[in-house]
Amino acid sequence: MTERSVDTTRRALLGAVAGGAAAGGFLGPVRGYLSAFAPLSGGVWDAASDDPPLRIASDHGDATLRYDGAAVPRIEADGEAAIYFAAGYAHGADRLFQMDLQRRQMRGQLSAVVGEATLDSDRFHVRMDFAAAADATWDLVRDTEAGPLVEAYCEGVNRAREDLPTPVEFELLDYEPAPWTPADVMLAEKQIAWTLTGSFRTLRRETLRAELGADAAETIMPRRLDHDAAILGHAGATDDWARPDGDASRLPPATSDAENETDRAAVGTDPGLDGWLAGVEPPAWAGSNSWAVGVDHTDSGDPIMANDPHLSLMAPPVWYEQVLRHPDYQVRGVTFPGVPFVIIGENDRGAWGFTNAGCDVIDFYEYETRADGAEYRYGDRWRSFETETRSIEVAGAPDRDVEVKKSVHGAVLSAGAGGDEFRDELGVAWTGLSATNATNGILGITRSRDAEDIDEALREFDEPTQCFVYAGRDGSVRYRVTGRVPIRRTDGELVPGTRVFDGSAREGEWAGYTPYGESSWEGFIPFDEMPHDDDPHYVGTANQRVVDDADYPYYLAEDYSEPFRGIRLWERLDTLVERGDVTPADLRDLQRDVHDGRLEHYRSVLEEARSELSGDARDDLDAVLEWDGEAERGARAPLLFVHFLDAYEGRFVADALGDLDGRRDASAYAPNRWALATLGDEWFDGGRASAAADAFEKARERIEAEGWETYGDYNRTAIDHPFDQSWLNYPRYPTDGSAATLFNVRVEAGAGSSWRQVCPMDGTTSRCILPGGNDGNVYSDDYDSQLRRWANGEYKPMDRAMRGDLAARFVGGDGE
């Protein structure tokens, strides 16, 4: 790993620190909070120059660690414990600050190093008690096959922590990282599960129902978007996909929205609670693409699979790439820093990927209370809330006490204020609050030799709910929705999870669920009855609806992503398969597709706006209407279009939602871009045409004020370090794509394709790319070395050979 010029970097650092406050973004609430750097110290420069020892003693046997030209560690050993010890060492060397910051966020310990600005985040994470859920998960995993490997990995992280200079970020914030523990590994898994499945949409929808009425709530946040792009039931599926074979008498009947309503009136959440939760809710944009084409439709006669998960774009990236070589398997792919096993990738027998399934695995409960809120009724009994006062350490300020409160359902959240007209205290049930065994599921996938091994591994994969796509070198293809999905029951009858439940009346119960303990999962959709398809002709996922309700008897989800990517994926994939002889190049080209389907969906809205415009504004609108929908960096039309969409949503929020009972951010209640296009005149002051014309004018004004000429002037790689200093941030490169294209770039949200892989099963080399660099050391030439290629839609080889510069030999015993 080469170094940047220390003198140049020193000047940049001096300028950055002298320039004042640091502001940055890191998976949520850290942005804008890191305002105080520690004084410069010699340790900052030590981090740039010290090399790791080449021989390192290990209690787990011999292993070799090499780094290739893209800073990807390649690790080889005869024993798995030796491999994962070395992997831990590499993670600790390359990503320790990222790992520690994520850990602090989930444990509610950011304020200890950041100060008062992160107190809301810390209070939420302490009250949810993700740390206790991680402890319960480690208690479950400890004595399984994965347990010793997790322990060896943590030993490797801590050895690097001891051997190597402290990363520069710790020097700047003036604190030392604590040892990495197995519970921290479990906590990292909880973090991504919460990012993908934690959602307060049910609360927002019920608040809309209380404030505007049931019809308005259904119009603004519809449960079903009108499209035909569901994942299952498409032409590529087999004849027996997804249809459960169990006893039909126990399956819930299909129900309409009207039948789902209860007699209880909708009650909005307290504005204080609503505002607090809005600041800590995971982003709604988390999604991904994946697809696989079977043997009958490829040029080689072997399947091909592709995956690109859409997550935060960060410096360093959310993923860490690694190659692990064992006598029984060789695997390459990505994991989350702090987690030992490859999560998305390829071994010598097959390749796999994940996309978010959107399943509803969280519910909310209100209670009848007494004894000043210390007790709650649960059925015919009164119970005491489990309560505990914990202290949150705050840098530069007094510590704060927070009450951690729990019920039979899980965490109990409140903003500490509110009246009878609001729900100001809610119980939260979430599958991730229970002990889960995804760790062994991922290990099983890594070790898999065929599709049957994959099937068995996925039985252990209980969080998060994901669409899993696999292609094997034996010709097999798999699609399955993974994870535990609850079957809710009220008085023995099955109900959907679309309302806040009366916890005291024991509505919406999950049989077999134990928060902060080990669940039996007996009241959840059985594994064999989850949506799946064995050996489909071809399959594609883009976070759209998994299956139509009429074809599947269980309630899966309250909401799915906008279907623009799913529709485009099926259009392109159908065409490729109909043509035949699909190649890896075809699927890489599909991953680079930048057609924005929102243009046709909004065409009638734009045409109505045209009559309200004149002169240059009408000319610009005509250019958008004549545009082919390709979101390319050199064009002007996509620049106008995406800013029109933003302004049009803003106009809807102002006209239809107003201050929405004084809530902090009414835009959180805005419809998605699919539903927004369907709203008529009654939702806009002065009608839809006038609102659209006004939005188009505002888009033009913003573009002129910013000095943008083409889409690429705006659509750039704005990927920043948490400290948001120029010397730490990645370069800005123009790129193609939008939030609604398969080549996914979400500039305003700081998100997009966080990893791309295309894996043919014919023996040719797979291809991949990261949005940045694998090395988290800002002094390394590999800190951002892949970013330009990522922005340009290029790839690098994804081989599993043992090559590169020797970094360390791990030797048994004392290393002599």
Side-chain angles (χ1 to χ4, degrees):
M1 292 176 284
T2 59
E3 303 160 7
R4 295 183 176 183
S5 164
V6 173
D7 289 339
T8 300
T9 307
R10 182 183 178 89
R11 287 195 296 273
L13 175 63
L14 290 169
V17 176
F26 193 89
L27 283 183
V30 181
R31 177 172 294 279
Y33 300 152
L34 299 171
S35 58
F37 281 146
L40 298 179
S41 69
V44 171
W45 315 118
D46 290 341
S49 59
D50 286 13
D51 293 322
L54 289 179
R55 289 178 64 83
I56 301 168
S58 165
D59 292 335
H60 301 286
D62 296 349
T64 301
L65 167 63
R66 294 181 177 273
Y67 282 95
D68 65 20
V72 175
R74 295 172 182 253
I75 298 166
E76 187 169 48
D78 289 338
E80 284 186 300
I83 285 176
Y84 289 108
F85 178 88
Y89 196 95
H91 286 210
D94 297 336
R95 299 290 190 92
L96 187 60
F97 178 71
Q98 181 182 21
M99 292 161 59
D100 187 70
L101 201 58
Q102 291 174 151
R103 167 174 60 179
R104 285 186 172 275
Q105 183 178 19
M106 290 298 285
R107 290 190 179 277
Q109 297 174 345
L110 284 173
S111 299
V113 297
V114 168
E116 292 180 294
T118 51
L119 273 170
D120 276 351
S121 171
D122 282 351
R123 287 189 180 110
F124 171 75
H125 288 88
V126 168
R127 285 174 173 168
M128 284 293 290
D129 208 358
F130 294 111
D135 289 341
T137 296
W138 175 237
D139 287 342
L140 174 64
V141 171
R142 184 196 314 268
D143 295 326
T144 67
E145 288 189 62
L149 304 183
V150 170
E151 292 176 321
Y153 169 83
C154 292
E155 290 178 37
V157 173
N158 291 322
R159 181 66 64 82
R161 172 179 158 273
E162 295 163 1
D163 285 352
L164 303 176
T166 304
V168 63
E169 293 93 339
F170 292 108
E171 297 285 341
L172 294 173
L173 286 176
D174 195 25
Y175 78 95
E176 292 288 333
W180 196 254
T181 70
D184 293 330
V185 175
M186 306 298 111
L187 195 62
E189 294 179 0
K190 297 295 179 187
Q191 181 185 45
I192 193 59
W194 177 254
T195 299
L196 295 171
T197 64
S199 170
F200 302 129
R201 178 183 173 86
T202 299
L203 303 182
R204 291 195 300 275
R205 200 173 191 281
E206 186 145 325
T207 294
L208 281 177
R209 197 157 36 219
E211 300 288 340
L212 304 180
D215 290 342
E218 179 62 27
T219 300
I220 295 172
M221 290 188 179
R223 293 197 184 110
R224 186 186 189 281
L225 302 179
D226 186 20
H227 66 83
D228 297 320
I231 295 170
L232 289 174
H234 193 75
T238 59
D239 292 337
D240 58 352
W241 58 267
R243 294 181 174 86
D245 297 325
D247 180 3
S249 65
R250 67 179 175 80
L251 302 179
T255 53
S256 68
D257 286 342
E259 292 171 316
N260 287 338
E261 301 296 338
T262 69
D263 293 333
R264 291 188 298 115
V267 181
T269 54
D270 172 80
L273 177 61
D274 176 80
W276 179 52
L277 295 180
V280 295
E281 183 178 23
W285 45 254
S288 307
N289 305 317
S290 67
W291 48 83
V293 179
V295 297
D296 292 336
H297 306 287
T298 63
D299 180 62
S300 66
D302 296 288
I304 313 169
M305 73 81 57
N307 186 209
D308 61 297
H310 306 162
L311 296 170
S312 292
L313 299 180
M314 312 184 311
V318 65
W319 296 106
Y320 183 79
E321 188 179 0
Q322 58 192 27
V323 178
L324 309 177
R325 292 175 55 86
H326 182 266
D328 293 336
Y329 59 82
Q330 297 85 47
V331 60
R332 176 174 182 160
V334 289
T335 186
F336 298 108
V339 176
F341 309 118
V342 168
I343 295 172
I344 293 174
E346 175 183 33
N347 67 15
D348 46 309
R349 298 297 181 92
W352 60 90
F354 291 95
T355 62
N356 202 8
C359 296
D360 186 354
V361 296
I362 186 169
D363 278 334
F364 305 93
Y365 302 84
E366 61 180 351
Y367 306 102
E368 179 185 346
T369 62
R370 69 180 187 185
D372 293 329
E375 297 179 348
Y376 66 103
R377 184 172 66 82
Y378 183 64
D380 57 2
R381 296 178 55 193
W382 286 90
R383 297 182 177 224
S384 296
F385 286 108
E386 293 181 44
T387 59
E388 178 186 354
T389 299
R390 298 186 189 174
S391 182
I392 296 175
E393 183 182 351
V394 184
D399 294 353
R400 303 294 207 280
D401 288 340
V402 59
E403 183 183 59
V404 179
K405 196 171 187 177
K406 298 175 183 176
S407 72
V408 295
H409 298 107
V412 176
L413 302 180
S414 72
D420 292 339
E421 71 273 24
F422 298 116
R423 291 190 173 97
D424 66 343
E425 192 168 71
L426 290 167
V428 182
W430 176 57
T431 51
L433 292 182
S434 183
T436 50
N437 199 27
T439 303
N440 276 284
I442 292 295
L443 176 60
I445 294 170
T446 294
R447 293 170 165 176
S448 63
R449 315 310 291 152
D450 52 33
E452 286 69 28
D453 286 351
I454 289 290
D455 295 339
E456 289 305 308
L458 293 179
R459 289 182 182 275
E460 305 291 339
F461 193 96
D462 39 25
E463 73 159 349
T465 54
Q466 295 281 283
C467 290
F468 177 84
V469 170
Y470 171 83
R473 301 190 197 282
D474 60 359
S476 59
V477 173
R478 287 289 187 271
Y479 167 78
R480 176 172 289 279
V481 176
T482 70
R484 304 289 185 177
V485 178
I487 301 174
R488 289 93 169 162
R489 287 181 171 84
T490 299
D491 296 330
E493 299 294 324
L494 287 96
V495 295
T498 54
R499 295 291 298 269
V500 174
F501 292 120
D502 184 342
S504 291
R506 301 191 63 173
E507 292 181 348
E509 292 287 280
W510 299 2
Y513 163 70
T514 303
Y516 310 106
E518 188 172 344
S519 294
S520 70
W521 307 113
E522 64 188 71
F524 289 65
I525 300 176
F527 175 82
D528 292 328
E529 297 180 14
M530 289 286 283
H532 65 279
D533 198 3
D534 293 343
D535 291 317
H537 306 290
Y538 58 105
V539 63
T541 83
N543 312 119
Q544 73 272 43
R545 187 167 59 248
V546 172
V547 60
D548 285 314
D549 295 340
D551 295 320
Y552 189 71
Y554 294 109
Y555 165 74
L556 279 180
E558 183 177 17
D559 176 49
Y560 292 102
S561 293
E562 301 164 353
F564 299 108
R565 284 183 293 113
I567 291 170
R568 180 61 174 174
L569 173 56
W570 281 132
E571 287 176 354
R572 289 288 311 274
L573 204 51
D574 288 346
T575 300
L576 285 171
V577 169
E578 183 177 355
R579 186 205 70 190
D581 298 334
V582 178
T583 68
D586 290 329
L587 297 193
R588 291 195 296 271
D589 184 62
L590 180 56
Q591 233 171 34
R592 291 187 289 251
D593 188 278
V594 295
H595 185 80
D596 194 326
R598 296 177 298 184
L599 175 63
E600 286 306 312
H601 198 59
Y602 277 83
R603 184 170 293 279
S604 63
V605 178
L606 292 166
E607 288 172 343
E608 290 174 22
R610 188 177 186 279
S611 63
E612 304 280 331
L613 298 171
S614 61
D616 291 342
R618 178 180 284 193
D619 291 342
D620 277 345
L621 182 57
D622 285 342
V624 173
L625 289 170
E626 293 168 4
W627 171 47
D628 61 5
E630 299 296 303
E632 296 174 332
R633 69 192 76 176
R636 177 172 169 79
L639 178 66
L640 289 161
F641 181 66
V642 298
H643 286 93
F644 159 75
L645 292 178
D646 289 343
Y648 190 58
E649 179 187 287
R651 177 62 185 265
F652 169 84
V653 170
D655 290 354
L657 301 182
D659 60 7
L660 198 63
D661 195 45
R663 292 171 190 277
R664 184 175 71 177
D665 185 9
S667 64
Y669 293 83
N672 63 40
R673 295 295 166 86
W674 180 274
L676 180 61
T678 68
L679 301 180
D681 289 340
E682 68 274 18
W683 292 97
F684 300 93
D685 295 344
R688 187 168 84 161
S690 175
D694 177 64
F696 196 78
E697 290 279 22
K698 282 185 168 54
R700 296 179 72 247
E701 289 168 5
R702 183 185 178 193
I703 290 167
E704 182 177 359
E706 296 287 351
W708 296 324
E709 295 291 337
T710 65
Y711 188 50
D713 294 336
Y714 158 75
N715 205 58
R716 303 177 74 85
T717 58
I719 303 175
D720 296 339
H721 186 278
F723 291 177
D724 195 19
Q725 294 293 323
S726 59
W727 68 286
L728 292 166
N729 294 342
Y730 283 171
R732 266 57 170 163
Y733 298 125
T735 189
D736 303 324
S738 75
T741 61
L742 294 173
F743 188 89
N744 200 250
V745 178
R746 301 166 185 253
V747 172
E748 300 291 348
S753 299
S754 59
W755 162 256
R756 300 188 189 113
Q757 69 176 39
V758 177
C759 302
M761 295 294 102
D762 61 0
T764 58
T765 302
S766 299
R767 312 287 292 183
C768 64
I769 199 75
L770 273 174
N774 209 46
D775 194 339
N777 178 5
V778 68
Y779 303 111
S780 168
D781 287 340
D782 294 302
Y783 181 64
D784 56 28
S785 59
Q786 300 178 52
L787 181 60
R788 187 186 292 274
R789 284 179 289 169
W790 177 89
N792 291 334
E794 299 171 7
Y795 296 81
K796 63 177 184 179
M798 191 178 167
D799 67 275
R800 300 181 302 281
M802 192 63 185
R803 58 181 176 82
D805 295 333
L806 178 66
R809 293 193 186 277
F810 302 91
V811 293
D814 60 7
E816 295 301 325

